[in-house]
Amino acid sequence: MESKKIVIGNLKMNFLAQEITAYLKKLEKMDCGKRVILCPSTIYLPYFVGKNFELGIQNISAFESGAYTGEVSAQQAKSIRVHYCLVGHSERRIHFQETDEMIREKIRQALKEKLKVVLCVGETETEKDELKTYKVLKKQIRTALRSFSGKELSDVIIAYEPVWAIGTGKVPSNTEISYTIGFIKAIVKELFDVEVAVLYGGSITEKNIAQLNKIENVDGFLVGSTSLNADKFKKIIEVVVTQ
Ligand code: PGA
């Protein structure tokens, strides 16, 4: 059966304008189709429009439009052909104090515009050590997704990203990831009666992707720092999408 897994590259706050052409040139010849999504800095989104991959935005406003200095609305993102948005990334929760309630409002705006939402969830190292992973994930998911219809939730994907695995080189075992993804799918089914796709993210490299890709219930991957290197990112795409 053909794999339908997706790969998202989260470029975070990296690159200068003059570095982007070379980066895009390297990705240009890939047969990415709709299953590779790149999320550059918002200011660079126009450079990435109309290429051989889908476009995502790293963050979206919880407001619809108007006097919200520095914000970018879902409507605006949609108007330049952005189809995905990351919501609730742990860096936004940690550095910008985003709460599950704020995240829900962002999701509301995104879904109104029919953007595909990638809701990031994950436990910290302390929470893991205190055996609170499942409790934390359940709360993050329940609060963020409460009040949406089953139809709306069909545009939501969940990315399981343990905070302790992001940018650290530490990766849970395949068994641990698979178990947690199974838990997330079961929780979403129990709470909202919908099936959800679940990605894994955290210290994915061109070296460990073949191993991670063996996880049976994973629906794709969210890649941070390795996506900054076009050659390495291409290898990940090859393993997951084009092979
Ligand atoms: P990383 O980041 O791949 O650099 O660990 C993942 C992420 O933040 O989505």
Side-chain angles (χ1 to χ4, degrees):
M1 200 174 75
E2 199 208 341
S3 149
K4 288 278 189 264
K5 287 178 203 161
I6 63 171
V7 174
I8 305 179
N10 176 10
L11 303 178
K12 307 193 181 180
M13 197 172 69
N14 291 294
F15 287 151
L16 297 177
Q18 54 269 34
E19 295 169 309
I20 289 172
T21 315
Y23 178 80
L24 287 175
K25 217 171 167 46
K26 287 196 173 177
L27 291 185
E28 201 163 68
K29 294 192 187 76
M30 295 289 296
D31 178 20
C32 297
K34 296 204 174 304
R35 289 166 50 206
V36 175
I37 299 109
L38 272 164
C39 306
S41 281
T42 307
I43 192 171
Y44 298 143
L45 279 169
Y47 295 93
F48 287 72
V49 173
K51 305 287 181 201
N52 53 330
F53 42 75
E54 291 281 323
L55 209 48
I57 189 164
Q58 296 173 14
N59 177 38
I60 206 79
S61 180
F63 301 98
E64 190 171 325
S65 69
Y68 299 100
T69 302
E71 290 283 275
V72 174
S73 73
Q75 247 178 337
Q76 292 173 318
K78 190 71 187 286
S79 74
I80 61 158
R81 288 186 268 156
V82 166
H83 287 146
Y84 285 78
C85 69
L86 305 185
V87 180
H89 191 282
S90 63
E91 286 152 15
R92 299 227 39 104
R93 294 178 191 259
I94 293 165
H95 301 301
F96 303 95
Q97 289 75 47
E98 281 191 11
T99 63
D100 292 319
E101 286 75 14
M102 288 159 75
I103 288 163
R104 183 169 67 229
E105 294 314 305
K106 288 172 180 239
I107 295 174
R108 190 183 311 286
Q109 294 301 329
L111 292 180
K112 252 203 289 188
E113 293 303 321
K114 302 249 176 309
L115 292 180
K116 287 214 176 293
V117 168
V118 181
L119 168 63
C120 303
V121 297
E123 79 286 3
T124 62
E125 185 138 47
T126 312
E127 288 162 347
K128 174 178 148 47
D129 292 345
E130 291 173 357
L131 305 177
K132 290 187 182 147
T133 298
Y134 296 120
K135 194 169 165 226
V136 168
L137 294 176
K138 188 171 180 179
K139 179 183 174 286
Q140 289 175 339
I141 292 168
R142 189 179 44 212
T143 314
L145 299 185
R146 193 166 51 213
S147 83
F148 300 114
S149 69
K151 190 166 178 296
E152 286 174 307
L153 290 176
S154 66
D155 279 329
V156 174
I157 295 165
I158 293 183
Y160 171 54
E161 298 206 298
V163 179
W164 52 271
I166 294 180
T168 59
K170 293 188 209 165
V171 181
S173 69
N174 277 20
T175 311
E176 285 172 310
I177 295 172
S178 176
Y179 202 82
T180 308
I181 287 177
F183 171 80
I184 291 171
K185 291 185 178 194
I187 269 302
V188 171
K189 179 82 182 147
E190 180 193 311
L191 293 173
F192 309 109
D193 199 24
V194 290
E195 316 275 340
V196 73
V198 181
L199 317 179
Y200 169 75
S203 293
I204 297 171
T205 68
E206 77 291 0
K207 297 203 174 82
N208 63 20
I209 189 62
Q211 177 66 20
L212 290 166
N213 199 39
K214 290 182 189 154
I215 300 170
E216 276 192 6
N217 56 357
V218 74
D219 297 299
F221 299 94
L222 177 45
V223 185
S225 50
T226 306
S227 68
L228 296 175
N229 180 313
D231 295 319
K232 293 180 179 175
F233 190 49
K234 269 165 78 169
K235 286 193 185 139
I236 293 178
I237 295 168
E238 273 159 18
V239 171
V240 182
V241 176
T242 52
Q243 68 173 203

